[in-house]
């Protein structure tokens, strides 16, 4: 089995911790390994090799992080610009033997590798062998609008809804019938490419052309003129919402997509008042349910509630907890100004 590791996102919801030049997957947010390194290690025992699909400006960063783990058998596929996950996965699948089984994983999730994880992968393989596209369902824990939702009965997918409106997400959550889409997928390369060809032919054709034109060199780079011709779309919209060959493996693995500061906050131990920080030099006085992330500076909070402070060398974020999905707006404004 091959592990396709998707590394091309910018993780804008964690600004200023996650930056264009140093996105969240490469940051050591929780321990001394980056989320990207943890991803490669987690799948090592059942994926004999991996394809890293990333932006060309992150090549050396990704390579250094793998080299420092002494991980062999990594192939890089470099994109001059990102076109979202459907093209990234298609390009990687086109490099492989069509019957190869791939485990597609985001590079920026926090997942615990244990018996449960291994069992989940085994279960998925059962459906992959029968030519299905497998998704992994995490029981929805809140009506989060940043995720995909899978309506399921056993392993049957009744419907797949990518990033619903808040109203719909509330409905899905309270019905109890929906799983969050974990963002990991497993299938044979051929089966995914056939479904992509059926439902998003332009992406399929333009990816075939891009791979054909890529120079036969290591690492493999897609030419800019080919990449910009590929329509940008996610696997979720381009295939998963439409395909009838999708199965779900419900799982109780320990999973967080760290898609917001609230999600990150849940992974950092808190005191008895619900305050959490990554840095023991920070202080909370008569304060509750706050988050401080900082490196060098000491930060103190007095008589405040539900506040988040994220301090980095050149940017400071102060936000009320529960509203950090709006961080993306700041990033958009900054992009326009620069
Ligand atoms: N190579 C490459 N190129 N990788 C990319 C690109 C790209 O253009 N765009 C995104 N990625 C990578 C990201 O780095 C991340 O590891 C993964 O692909 C998923 O992309 P996100 O942009 O983080 O997707 P999302 O979080 O909005 O939604 C997806 O994941 C959710 C779970 O976290 C969907 O699959 C949802 O349905 C799912 O619930
Ligand atoms: Mg994500």
């Amino acid at each position: 089995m091959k592990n396709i590791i998707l590394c091309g996102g910018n993780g804008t919801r964690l600004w200023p911790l996650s930056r264009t030049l140093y996105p969240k997957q490469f940051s050591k947010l929780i321990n001394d390994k980056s989320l990207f390194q943890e991803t490669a290690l987690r799948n090592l025992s059942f994926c004999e090799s991996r394809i890293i699909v990333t932006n060309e400006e992150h090549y050396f960063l990704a390579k250094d992080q793998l080299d420092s783990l002494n991980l062999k058998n990594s192939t890089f596929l470099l994109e001059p610009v990102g076109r979202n996950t459907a093209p990234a996965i298609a390009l990687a699948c086109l490099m492989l033997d069509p019957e190869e089984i791939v485990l597609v994983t985001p590079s920026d999730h926090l997942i615990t590798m244990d018996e449960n994880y291994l069992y989940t992968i085994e279960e998925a393989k059962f459906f992959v062998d029968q030519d299905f596209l497998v998704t992994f369902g995490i029981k929805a824990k809140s009506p989060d609008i940043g995720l995909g939702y899978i309506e399921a009965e056993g392993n049957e997918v009744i419907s797949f809804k990518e990033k619903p409106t808040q109203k719909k997400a509330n409905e899905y959550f309270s019905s109890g019938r929906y799983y969050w889409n974990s963002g990991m997928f497993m299938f044979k390369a051929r089966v995914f490419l056939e479904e992509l060809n059926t439902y998003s032919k332009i992406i399929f054709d333009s990816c075939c052309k891009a791979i054909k034109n890529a120079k036969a060199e290591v690492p493999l780079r897609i030419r800019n003129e080919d990449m910009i011709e590929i329509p940008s779309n996610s696997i979720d919209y381009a295939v998963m919402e439409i395909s009838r060959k999708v199965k779900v493996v419900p799982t109780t693995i320990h999973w967080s997509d760290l898609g917001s500061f609230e999600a990150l906050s849940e992974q950092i131990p808190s005191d008895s008042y619900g305050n959490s920080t990554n840095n023991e030099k920070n202080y909370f006085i008569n304060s509750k349910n706050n988050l401080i992330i900082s490196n060098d500076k000491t930060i103190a909070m007095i008589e405040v509630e539900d506040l988040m402070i994220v301090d980095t060398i050149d940017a400071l974020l102060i936000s009320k907890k529960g509203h950090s999905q709006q961080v993306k707006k700041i990033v958009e404004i900054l992009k326009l100004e620069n």
Side-chain angles (χ1 to χ4, degrees):
M1 196 183 327
K2 285 257 183 205
N3 186 191
I4 297 179
I5 306 185
L6 301 173
C7 258
N10 282 333
T12 49
R13 282 170 287 193
L14 288 195
W15 179 91
L17 279 188
S18 180
R19 314 296 277 261
T20 308
L21 282 177
Y22 210 95
K24 96 180 202 224
Q25 57 268 28
F26 299 117
S27 303
K28 295 174 181 171
L29 294 179
I30 305 278
N31 56 32
D32 63 343
K33 292 199 186 66
S34 72
L35 299 169
F36 165 61
Q37 287 176 311
E38 295 275 15
T39 305
L41 290 172
R42 185 183 314 128
N43 301 318
L44 201 55
S45 65
F46 50 86
C47 292
E48 68 282 359
S49 57
R50 64 202 67 76
I51 301 183
I52 318 297
V53 194
T54 192
N55 192 286
E56 59 188 12
E57 70 181 357
H58 297 133
Y59 170 56
F60 289 106
L61 187 54
K63 187 172 180 311
D64 283 353
Q65 291 203 350
L66 288 187
D67 287 350
S68 74
L69 297 175
N70 240 327
L71 279 190
K72 308 276 181 279
N73 299 333
S74 303
T75 307
F76 282 85
L77 172 61
L78 304 183
E79 301 165 307
V81 286
R83 306 308 270 159
N84 213 324
T85 51
I89 298 167
L91 291 166
C93 286
L94 286 165
M95 294 168 68
L96 297 172
D97 176 326
E99 296 307 311
E100 180 85 63
I101 295 178
V102 299
L103 173 66
V104 179
T105 56
S107 53
D108 55 354
H109 285 175
L110 190 70
I111 295 172
T112 306
M113 160 60 168
D114 53 13
E115 287 287 306
N116 197 0
Y117 184 76
L118 288 172
Y119 178 76
T120 299
I121 300 293
E122 265 311 302
E123 202 183 338
K125 197 158 169 298
F126 173 78
F127 294 107
V128 170
D129 285 338
Q130 300 169 58
D131 285 3
F132 287 106
L133 305 173
V134 175
T135 56
F136 298 86
I138 311 283
K139 194 87 194 149
K141 296 183 184 72
S142 66
D144 190 327
I145 57 165
L147 300 169
Y149 285 74
I150 303 168
E151 184 183 9
E153 269 172 29
N155 300 106
E156 300 306 312
V157 174
I158 312 294
S159 66
F160 185 115
K161 301 278 165 52
E162 178 64 4
K163 303 208 173 81
T165 58
Q166 190 63 66
K167 189 163 166 268
K168 288 279 174 200
N170 293 345
E171 270 172 38
Y172 298 162
F173 176 62
S174 50
S175 81
R177 284 200 320 274
Y178 285 77
Y179 293 96
W180 284 338
N181 172 34
S182 74
M184 305 192 303
F185 306 96
M186 202 200 276
F187 36 70
K188 289 180 191 160
R190 168 183 56 78
V191 179
F192 171 70
L193 291 169
E194 282 170 0
E195 291 298 271
L196 185 70
N197 189 23
T198 305
Y199 299 111
S200 294
K201 189 164 173 43
I202 307 181
I203 297 186
F204 176 79
D205 287 344
S206 49
C207 285
C208 290
K209 183 177 161 208
I211 280 289
K212 217 161 96 200
N213 287 343
K215 276 197 206 127
E217 59 184 26
V218 178
L220 195 74
R221 282 169 209 271
I222 303 297
R223 298 188 324 171
N224 190 51
E225 55 268 45
D226 290 330
M227 197 78 207
I228 54 180
E229 265 184 34
I230 304 174
S232 179
N233 204 355
S234 72
I235 180 176
D236 317 283
Y237 289 120
V239 175
M240 294 298 162
E241 274 197 344
I242 326 164
S243 169
R244 290 187 213 101
K245 289 196 176 168
V246 183
K247 294 276 182 194
V248 61
V249 169
T251 175
T252 53
I253 54 171
H254 179 86
W255 174 97
S256 169
D257 79 334
L258 300 178
S260 65
F261 281 112
E262 288 82 5
L264 177 61
S265 171
E266 281 169 21
Q267 304 304 324
I268 302 177
S270 57
D271 66 16
S272 52
Y273 298 98
N275 299 304
S276 42
T277 180
N278 66 330
N279 185 340
E280 59 187 18
K281 286 187 294 184
N282 294 331
Y283 298 94
F284 301 94
I285 312 268
N286 288 343
S287 296
K288 60 178 188 201
N289 199 27
N290 300 293
L291 170 72
I292 306 179
I293 299 196
S294 69
N295 281 324
D296 307 320
K297 209 177 284 169
T298 290
I299 296 179
M301 283 187 175
I302 301 176
E303 300 277 355
V304 286
E305 263 181 49
D306 299 326
L307 203 61
M308 301 189 317
I309 293 188
V310 182
D311 185 53
T312 65
I313 201 152
D314 59 349
L316 169 68
L317 171 75
I318 301 178
S319 160
K320 196 168 166 192
K321 255 198 188 169
H323 295 265
S324 78
Q325 291 293 346
Q326 295 182 51
V327 165
K328 268 188 150 178
K329 291 187 189 164
I330 306 275
V331 178
E332 278 156 26
I333 294 168
L334 291 174
K335 268 192 196 146
L336 285 178
E337 285 180 356
N338 289 325

